[in-house]
């Protein structure tokens, strides 16, 4: 009976699969993609991630990830190795071994996985989206050369029946353009053999923030058991990777621009569809839905959807209350588009119109944010931007009566402003929302960097030092800014933020 049902399903679905180049044998789990070679149809099996053959709607020929070519990944590894060699020139060791693991699969509960997200550093250098993988670079300083080895899961019919295809050892070298691929189970054996061949080497691995505990245990045992100097000579490679990731390539900028466009459009749609009595959860669902429907894989982080007083909880993510008439909604949300993130905050009146006091504070904050964006054209540091924000915000809040007119010194004004905005005004943005965390915010920004600008004003309902009409407000405005040679480009400018534009947007809300 099962066999008959399977064949019946196959007869119904096969013509549709054939139209898109997928061949599936009746009652089999093995899928292949038909490739035309010299006019002859040849079958090639599906791999562990989308390829041009399996997903032509996502990847162009020559791309390993949507929008990013295989050549760019090779260029990244070459640049990374060049940086390693530059640092290695200050040591007396010729051989350097780099180990960068993939992220493991995490689980909500037994056999119930979270959506998988790759370790950004590993992904940046390999383009590999599979868990249980490790990139190993064997670098020789004297010859200025290296060998790239990728440890991956071997193919397993039973596992692939449940979890889908794996690239495997046979296809990985070609797919990822590495010198060799080895089974992940052989990592320990490889390390032991390497230490015997090169007893005096530097191990580049991040022991302080391990990504995969299984790999970490292997590395710990390796360092403990080897008699080489590797135990004393190890360096984290993360800073070098982050120094490369901080400057976006044209391909990365295009992906970031698209991520920002999707999130901007989705937030605007969410603003337009809000009304008094809507729940924060419904607003969360709305922005999530529209991001996905517009092409994002998922949200870049749990969004803040805070109505009224709850907006004063800076990382409020419960998103479970009703937004009442007269309250503001603060939404901090972004999406991930092919591994690149956007990060936007907008604040709007759920009723469709700002009250006079709400507009007064909002316009003061908006003027600060716009001036800060303009100042980035001078390529100042993010810490300098924060210091400037404190001064500008203090002056604007003084004008609206939130800060006492008696305060005059820079230090007093900065402290007063910080009491209303107790967070930094900017962070780097890219593959991660808080991207390249090892890059200091004291350095001047450079063309190719993308940063946020996000001042806020948070006024607790318990703040008896201000006019009662201001109490309970929480407002933040955030945009994503590309630093260019000639200035800046606001990648989220299409997301309405001027109060008149927001009110007009809500007037045109869908019925």
């Amino acid at each position: 009976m099962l066999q008959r049902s399977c064949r019946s399903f196959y007869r119904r679905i096969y013509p549709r699969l054939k139209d898109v180049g997928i061949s599936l044998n009746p009652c089999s789990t093995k899928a292949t993609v038909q490739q035309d070679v010299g006019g002859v149809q040849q079958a090639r099996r599906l791999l562990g991630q989308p390829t041009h053959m399996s997903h032509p709607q996502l990847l162009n020929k020559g791309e390993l990830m949507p929008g990013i070519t295989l050549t760019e990944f090779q260029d990244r590894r070459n640049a990374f190795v060049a940086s390693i060699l530059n640092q290695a020139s200050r040591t007396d060791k010729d051989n350097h071994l780099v180990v960068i693991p993939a992220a493991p699969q995490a689980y909500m509960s037994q056999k119930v996985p979270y959506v998988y997200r790759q370790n950004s550093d590993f992904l940046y250098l390999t383009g590999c989206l599979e868990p249980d993988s490790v990139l190993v670079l064997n670098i020789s300083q004297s010859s200025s050369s290296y060998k790239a080895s990728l440890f991956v899961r071997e193919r397993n019919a039973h596992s692939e029946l449940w979890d889908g295809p794996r690239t495997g050892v046979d296809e990985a070298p070609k797919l990822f353009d590495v010198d060799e691929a080895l089974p992940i189970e052989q990592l320990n054996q490889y390390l032991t053999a390497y230490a015997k061949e090169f007893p005096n080497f530097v191990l580049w691995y991040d022991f302080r923030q391990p990504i995969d505990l299984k790999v970490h245990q292997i590395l710990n045992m390796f360092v403990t058991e080897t008699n080489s100097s590797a135990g004393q000579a190890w360096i984290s490679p993360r800073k070098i990777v982050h120094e490369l990731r901080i400057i976006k390539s044209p391909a990365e900028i295009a992906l970031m621009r698209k991520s920002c466009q999707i999130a901007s459009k989705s937030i605007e749609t969410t603003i337009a569809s809000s009304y008094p009595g809507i729940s924060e959860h419904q607003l969360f669902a709305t922005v999530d839905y529209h991001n996905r429907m517009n092409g994002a894989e998922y949200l870049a982080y749990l969004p803040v959807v805070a109505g009224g007083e709850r907006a004063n909880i800076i990382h409020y993510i419960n998103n479970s209350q009703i937004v009442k008439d007269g309250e503001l909604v603060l939404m901090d949300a972004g999406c991930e588009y092919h591994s690149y993130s956007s990060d936007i905050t907008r604040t709007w009146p759920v009723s469709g119109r700002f009250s006079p006091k709400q507009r007064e504070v909002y316009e003061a904050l908006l003027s600060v944010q716009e001036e800060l964006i303009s100042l980035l054209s001078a390529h100042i540091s993010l810490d300098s931007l924060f210091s400037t924000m404190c001064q500008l915000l203090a002056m604007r809040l003084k004008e609206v009566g939130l800060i006492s007119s008696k305060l005059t010194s820079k230090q007093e004004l900065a402290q007063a402003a910080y009491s209303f905005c107790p967070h930094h005004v900017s962070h780097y943005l890219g593959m991660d929302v808080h991207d390249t965390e090892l890059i200091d915010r004291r350095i001047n920004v450079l063309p190719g960097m993308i940063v946020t600008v996000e001042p806020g004003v948070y006024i607790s309902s318990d703040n008896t030092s201000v006019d009662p009409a201001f109490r309970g407000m929480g407002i933040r405005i955030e945009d994503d800014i590309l630093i260019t040679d000639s200035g800046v480009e606001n990648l989220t400018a299409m997301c309405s933020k001027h109060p008149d534009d927001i009110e007009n947007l809500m007037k045109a809300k869908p019925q």
Side-chain angles (χ1 to χ4, degrees):
M1 181 66 180
L2 180 61
Q3 184 81 356
R4 187 182 307 162
S5 298
C6 182
R7 292 188 183 280
S8 174
F9 170 79
Y10 176 73
R11 283 195 298 270
R12 292 197 312 272
I13 203 69
Y14 176 74
R16 299 178 218 168
L17 296 175
K18 190 174 181 181
D19 287 343
V20 295
I22 296 178
S23 173
L24 185 66
N25 293 326
C27 306
S28 169
T29 62
K30 296 180 180 179
T32 61
V33 176
Q34 298 296 324
Q35 180 179 12
D36 193 301
V37 180
V40 179
Q41 287 286 317
Q42 295 184 354
R44 184 179 178 187
R45 70 175 181 84
L46 296 177
L47 303 182
Q49 64 188 63
T51 66
H52 169 62
M53 292 304 304
S54 65
H55 292 71
Q57 75 277 18
L58 292 181
L59 294 99
N60 294 317
K61 191 173 183 180
E63 291 180 347
L64 179 54
M65 287 178 56
I68 303 181
T69 64
L70 185 60
T71 301
E72 181 161 330
F73 285 99
Q74 183 65 60
D75 290 342
R76 291 173 180 179
R77 288 196 294 273
N78 291 341
F80 173 75
V81 170
S83 294
I84 293 281
L85 289 171
N86 182 51
Q87 287 200 25
S89 64
R90 299 191 286 270
T91 73
D92 60 352
K93 294 180 172 60
D94 180 55
N95 298 295
H96 297 258
L97 190 68
V98 180
V99 179
I100 300 179
Q105 176 66 65
Y107 290 84
M108 299 183 199
S109 59
Q110 188 179 21
K111 297 184 180 180
V112 181
Y114 286 106
V115 173
Y116 181 71
R117 190 182 189 279
Q118 187 57 278
N119 169 24
S120 295
D121 289 345
F122 175 84
L123 182 61
Y124 181 81
L125 293 173
T126 66
C128 177
L129 293 168
E130 295 187 54
D132 301 322
S133 305
V134 178
L135 174 66
V136 175
L137 301 176
N138 177 354
I139 304 171
S140 169
Q141 183 182 348
S142 59
S143 63
S144 296
S145 63
Y146 72 96
K147 181 178 182 180
S149 303
L150 191 63
F151 290 81
V152 297
R153 300 172 300 179
E154 290 192 273
R155 298 199 62 205
N156 181 293
H158 178 75
S159 296
E160 292 181 62
L161 170 66
W162 289 94
D163 300 323
R166 296 178 176 183
T167 299
V169 172
D170 56 336
E171 293 281 358
K174 181 179 180 181
L175 180 62
F176 302 111
D177 194 22
V178 292
D179 296 302
E180 65 177 356
L182 299 166
I184 186 64
E185 292 80 9
Q186 293 182 15
L187 177 61
N188 189 38
Q189 178 183 338
Y190 176 97
L191 295 173
T192 302
Y194 179 89
K196 288 180 179 178
E197 184 175 358
F198 306 106
N200 189 27
F201 68 97
V202 177
L203 175 63
W204 295 77
Y205 170 75
D206 189 12
F207 281 97
R208 291 193 180 94
Q209 291 183 278
I211 298 296
D212 185 317
L213 291 181
K214 290 181 181 178
V215 174
H216 187 62
Q217 289 173 353
I218 291 172
L219 267 294
N220 271 329
M221 289 177 59
F222 168 65
V223 168
T224 301
E225 293 173 0
T226 182
N227 292 322
S228 73
S229 60
Q232 291 74 45
W234 65 267
I235 307 171
S236 171
R238 292 183 69 227
K239 178 74 177 295
I240 292 178
V241 182
H242 288 195
E243 287 171 347
L244 296 174
R245 283 176 50 196
I246 190 69
I247 305 296
K248 274 58 179 178
S249 70
E252 291 181 292
I253 290 170
L255 290 168
M256 290 289 295
R257 184 175 283 112
K258 181 64 175 178
S259 180
C260 289
Q261 289 171 352
I262 291 171
S264 295
K265 181 178 180 181
S266 301
I267 289 175
E268 278 209 332
T269 303
T270 304
I271 292 172
S273 63
S274 60
Y275 53 87
I278 195 170
S279 72
E280 294 163 344
H281 178 74
Q282 288 172 304
L283 293 171
F284 178 170
T286 302
V287 76
D288 187 16
Y289 171 80
H290 286 287
N291 271 291
R292 292 173 190 256
M293 290 301 291
N294 285 308
E297 282 79 26
Y298 34 73
L299 294 182
Y301 51 93
L302 274 175
V304 174
V305 186
E309 167 74 14
R310 295 174 296 283
N312 290 303
I313 303 170
I314 295 170
H315 282 167
Y316 172 82
I317 56 172
N318 289 344
N319 305 334
S320 58
Q321 268 293 1
I322 300 297
V323 186
K324 299 175 183 177
D325 192 14
E327 290 185 327
L328 296 173
V329 178
L330 187 157
M331 174 175 282
D332 186 336
C335 71
E336 187 161 306
Y337 179 75
H338 301 310
S339 301
Y340 286 84
S341 299
S342 47
D343 183 3
I344 306 171
T345 305
R346 291 293 184 263
T347 308
W348 70 92
V350 74
S351 64
R353 184 172 293 278
F354 289 92
S355 72
K357 290 296 185 184
Q358 288 171 346
R359 179 179 275 264
E360 195 174 359
V361 177
Y362 187 95
E363 288 181 339
L365 184 65
L366 180 60
S367 69
V368 170
Q369 198 236 12
E370 290 180 330
E371 190 164 348
L372 292 173
I373 291 173
S374 178
L375 286 171
L376 281 173
S377 296
H379 295 179
I380 63 175
S381 71
L382 300 189
D383 277 357
S384 294
L385 194 72
F386 172 71
S387 297
T388 303
M389 181 213 62
C390 290
Q391 297 300 320
L392 291 174
L393 187 60
M395 288 189 291
R396 298 295 185 275
L397 296 186
K398 198 173 179 181
E399 291 169 2
V400 301
L402 282 169
I403 289 179
S404 171
S405 59
K406 296 178 181 179
L407 300 182
T408 56
S409 74
K410 280 190 174 183
Q411 184 176 358
E412 287 177 326
L413 289 170
Q415 288 176 344
Y418 189 73
S419 70
F420 286 99
C421 183
H423 60 72
H424 206 291
V425 74
S426 182
H427 59 79
Y428 304 114
L429 184 66
M431 298 178 81
D432 296 321
V433 177
H434 284 257
D435 202 45
T436 56
E437 63 177 348
L438 297 182
I439 303 301
D440 202 311
R441 286 192 272 202
R442 290 174 294 182
I443 67 169
N444 289 345
V445 296
L446 296 169
M449 292 183 180
I450 298 176
V451 302
T452 64
V453 178
E454 48 181 307
V457 174
Y458 311 96
I459 311 168
S460 169
S461 57
D462 298 327
N463 189 343
T464 57
S465 67
V466 302
D467 186 325
F470 289 125
R471 295 175 195 170
M473 284 189 211
I475 302 172
R476 184 164 66 251
I477 307 169
E478 178 182 16
D479 284 297
D480 302 341
I481 309 301
L482 168 66
I483 310 301
T484 67
D485 289 318
S486 58
V488 296
E489 178 188 347
N490 186 344
L491 299 178
T492 50
M494 71 286 294
C495 189
S496 298
K497 64 178 178 179
H498 290 273
D500 289 344
D501 293 336
I502 289 175
E503 290 181 352
N504 289 333
L505 184 64
M506 297 191 72
K507 286 178 185 176
K509 66 176 61 180
Q511 299 300 317

